[in-house]
Amino acid sequence: MSVPSVHVQQLTKRFKDTLALDDISFDVGRGELFGFIGPDGAGKTSLFRILTTLLLADAGICTVEGFDVVKDYRQIRKISGYMPGKFSLYQDLTVEENLKFFATIFGTTIRENYDLVKEIYQQIEPFKNRKAGKLSGGMKQKLALSCAMIHKPEVLFLDEPTTGVDAVSRLEFWEMLKRLKASGITILVSTPYMDEASLCDRVALMQSGRIMTISTPQEVISNYPLSLLSVKSGDIYTLLGELREYPGVHSVYAFGQSAHVAYQKNDITPESLHFFLKSKGHKQVEIIETVANIEDCFMELMTSPMKE
Amino acid sequence: MKRFNGFVIKEFYHIFRDYRTLLILFGMPAVQMMLFGYVLTNEIKDAKIAIYDPSGDVVTRKISDKILSSGYFILERNLNSVDEIDPVFRQGNVKLAVIYEPGFAQKLEKRGKARIQLIGDASDPNTANMLVNYASGIISNYLISMNSEKVPIQIIPEVRMMYNGELKGVYMFVPGLMAMLLMLISALMTSLSITKEKELGTMELLLVSPMEPYQIIIGKVFPYVFLAFLDACIILLLGHLVFGMPIMGSIFLLLLESFLYICMALSLGILISNITNSQQVAMMISLVVLMLPTILLSGFIFPVENMPLIMQVLCHIMPPKYYITIIKSIMLQGNGIEYVWRETLILIGFTAVFLALSIKKFNVRLT
């Protein structure tokens, strides 16, 4: 990696009694699609606000394209695009007026950078005379993304762009991000949805203001230290509790219609577990070995004690 | 510059698409004018009176004629006995009763003395006072005209009310209304529109853009300068055409002073929006801290000279007071800048202080 597009070193941010960001460090390479995965309150929004020069950190160094977020905030505001977590466009302006307004205040025009937003904007262009407040969730996100990109930013900060958006639109949105990335823009995106992590180049798993791990989604999964069984039964509710009691079980989480049982290799065999569940009166018990997905990894990281 | 234009255009979209804003901007001046002009008037016109005239002679009838033809009073009832006075007041229509002594003309002739009693309904003390004063004025006028040949020496005070000869309320309320409405539109509306951006989260996007903070603020405020100025013109025009408010001095100076006052109110609005993040708080501050003092402490309704010392001191730090003084001086007395330069300087001072505070308080970041 040459000069990083975004460089963060020992960043700390405190709000009164709560530590929003606790000694965070990472680098994002030029043209990388970098994801921050974590539950609400993990510190993602604070981090994005610091990087977009909206908040001041208490300690640490942050640069965006080599510009310091405190000293050179004016330069950063010229080259970055930001899409806040909350839908923040003018609801009483139409789709086109919003886009035009944001183009104007960044000193450009829709026509000049139309190519850049074309793919996204074309999808909402049929509704360009509709007020932004009357758009559906997916369309709002597309408009917000168009507005964040209309000035051809070098770095794009997207704070939970897919929260509250239906599954189809979410997928479409990520498709768009991939195409944007292909044009060389650095993209930092945060999301509470763990399944979206696999779509990033690299992800940082965040919790309580800390980054627990940074790696590619493949690495996150291959570093999973445990073995997994996917267990199904007719009665999923009692199943979870009884699995937790079984000796050798490390953790149990509901995962859709099945339960994921994590254990240290060789502690449990599927056959013995099957026998145990039968004896507890479970019917239609189905146990298969499975590979960890990003969610399993996150659950594991969340419960394991923090590595110092 | 293109950025700025785009910003101002956006701001006008906001204003013109929100019918409530429009209503406040243009409905309120008209409604307030009508309210103060026709409803809340404290002038005496067609006050209802009752007359008890047991003697019914030439003199009493002549006096009654004089009173009724003055234009201030109309006769509601002729009373037949003194006992009817109380019930007639209780009905509430009659505000003044005129009672003559029995054998009025005779007594006047014989003893050179006769008595008239004026009874006012003092449940509204100001009105009662005024009615009694008007009526006794009319009576003494009549007496003077009657006696002028007989009495050798007399002192007749000739009262003249300068600049508002007919003591018209309109002369008072047009300046007061201008001060109040311009304050409301400028300070309230701008503080609301700026805090609205904060509430919606769009301020975040504006801050992240290369727009400079002062550009954002001027862009937000500019439409209101224009609209408030338009409102000032509407009030002046209504006051002049409908209520006959004179404009003796230079209209140019009047508009210039109004413009200065608008700028003062706008910088106050900016200051309010800088110290709060919610529309509700901005509204409360504007209404409680600005509107009430503007109405009560500016000399608009209650004369400053009659207030306790502490309130008088408070009055002197209320910008509207100076504006009202200025425009009254220009409109009614036809004075030029040489008479109002001190108040003008004070207004400029207020503007500078508010702007300086706003700039100091403005945050290039969130919170």
Side-chain angles (χ1 to χ4, degrees), chain A residues 85-257:
Chain A
K86 206 175 103 193
F87 177 69
S88 307
L89 297 177
Y90 295 102
Q91 317 244 356
D92 54 342
L93 298 192
T94 64
V95 169
E96 196 181 18
E97 283 162 355
N98 263 300
L99 190 60
K100 205 170 160 186
F101 172 69
F102 283 102
T104 319
I105 63 169
F106 277 95
T108 176
T109 56
I110 298 182
R111 189 182 297 170
E112 203 172 311
N113 288 329
Y114 188 74
D115 286 345
L116 206 68
V117 294
K118 191 168 123 194
E119 273 191 77
I120 314 159
Y121 187 58
Q122 264 176 352
Q123 300 178 36
I124 48 173
E125 216 168 6
F127 312 102
K128 66 179 184 182
N129 291 322
R130 190 182 287 190
K131 300 264 169 69
K134 298 227 163 85
L135 292 175
S136 71
M139 289 203 281
K140 276 182 184 170
Q141 300 308 89
K142 280 169 196 160
L143 175 60
L145 183 61
S146 304
C147 290
M149 297 203 6
I150 190 67
H151 60 290
K152 207 174 180 182
E154 290 171 43
V155 188
L156 203 50
F157 297 93
L158 309 173
D159 190 8
E160 302 203 0
T162 53
T163 302
V165 176
D166 66 273
V168 178
S169 297
R170 269 170 62 189
L171 216 65
E172 277 180 6
F173 197 86
W174 278 92
E175 286 300 314
M176 288 184 311
L177 291 191
K178 278 191 180 158
R179 282 197 293 267
L180 279 181
K181 181 185 114 74
S183 67
I185 298 177
T186 307
I187 303 173
L188 278 74
V189 57
S190 77
T191 175
Y193 300 118
M194 293 169 212
D195 56 322
E196 289 178 348
S198 52
L199 304 167
C200 302
D201 291 339
R202 283 194 304 153
V203 290
L205 295 188
M206 285 186 78
Q207 195 193 14
S208 320
R210 290 200 181 193
I211 292 182
M212 292 178 288
T213 180
I214 300 177
S215 49
T216 64
Q218 295 75 28
E219 276 171 358
V220 171
I221 291 166
S222 59
N223 284 344
Y224 188 68
L226 302 164
S227 303
L228 264 187
L229 288 175
S230 171
V231 182
K232 270 187 182 169
S233 139
D235 183 3
I236 185 93
Y237 298 105
T238 54
L239 178 69
L240 289 175
E242 279 158 7
L243 282 173
R244 286 198 179 106
E245 285 164 20
Y246 190 71
V249 168
H250 177 79
S251 59
V252 180
Y253 295 104
F255 201 86
Q257 286 305 306

Side-chain angles (χ1 to χ4, degrees), chain A residues 24-38:
Chain A
I24 278 182
S25 301
F26 64 87
D27 283 311
V28 179
R30 195 155 248 295
E32 200 176 5
L33 176 53
F34 194 95
F36 292 88
I37 320 288

Side-chain angles (χ1 to χ4, degrees), chain B residues 59-264:
Chain B
V59 183
T60 57
R61 258 183 265 147
K62 203 135 192 196
I63 293 176
S64 296
D65 277 352
K66 282 267 179 201
I67 291 175
L68 294 175
S69 61
S70 66
Y72 299 124
F73 304 103
I74 51 172
L75 182 63
E76 170 85 5
R77 270 181 76 175
N78 271 309
L79 305 177
N80 298 320
S81 80
V82 187
D83 300 333
E84 284 177 39
I85 296 171
D86 197 41
V88 96
F89 272 122
R90 279 178 195 281
Q91 279 170 10
N93 283 333
V94 170
K95 299 292 173 209
L96 182 79
V98 181
I99 292 116
Y100 297 98
E101 220 178 345
F104 191 86
Q106 284 177 347
K107 285 185 182 164
L108 198 62
E109 192 67 29
K110 278 191 200 152
R111 291 186 256 156
K113 219 179 196 181
R115 284 181 296 181
I116 303 179
Q117 189 177 23
L118 295 174
I119 304 177
D121 176 2
S123 51
D124 178 354
N126 286 336
T127 316
N129 235 330
M130 259 191 293
L131 290 175
V132 170
N133 283 339
Y134 274 46
S136 30
I138 295 167
I139 294 165
S140 52
N141 265 343
Y142 170 74
L143 228 75
I144 289 161
S145 70
M146 208 172 84
N147 296 342
S148 52
E149 321 88 57
K150 296 180 190 165
V151 183
I153 305 169
Q154 50 180 285
I155 297 167
I156 306 167
E158 195 166 298
V159 180
R160 204 182 137 213
M161 297 294 198
M162 289 274 277
Y163 311 122
N164 185 0
E166 293 154 76
L167 296 176
K168 277 192 179 168
V170 67
Y171 292 7
M172 187 59 228
F173 84 75
V174 168
L177 211 55
M178 279 184 75
M180 187 177 93
L181 284 174
L182 294 186
M183 181 64 109
L184 185 78
I185 289 161
S186 311
L188 178 67
M189 300 301 252
T190 47
S191 63
L192 281 188
S193 88
I194 294 175
T195 44
K196 191 173 171 195
E197 299 246 10
K198 289 189 184 178
E199 267 184 16
L200 286 178
T202 43
M203 194 51 116
E204 238 172 287
L205 287 177
L206 294 181
L207 284 175
V208 172
S209 81
M211 292 265 290
E212 293 287 332
Y214 77 88
Q215 286 177 313
I216 297 177
I217 293 298
I218 295 177
K220 289 226 62 106
V221 158
F222 182 81
Y224 290 99
V225 176
F226 176 76
L227 292 171
F229 197 67
L230 203 66
D231 260 341
C233 296
I234 291 176
I235 301 173
L236 279 177
L237 220 62
L238 270 178
H240 188 64
L241 296 179
V242 180
F243 297 103
M245 176 85 186
I247 302 175
M248 311 292 284
S250 139
I251 290 189
F252 178 73
L253 181 63
L254 186 63
L255 293 180
L256 207 67
E257 296 281 0
S258 300
F259 183 75
L260 173 64
Y261 180 68
I262 289 169
C263 290
M264 189 282 304

Side-chain angles (χ1 to χ4, degrees), chain A residues 15 18 46 79 131 146 177-178 234 286:
Chain A
F15 292 110
T18 47
S46 302
I79 56 158
K131 300 264 169 69
S146 304
L177 291 191
K178 278 191 180 158
E286 205 179 287

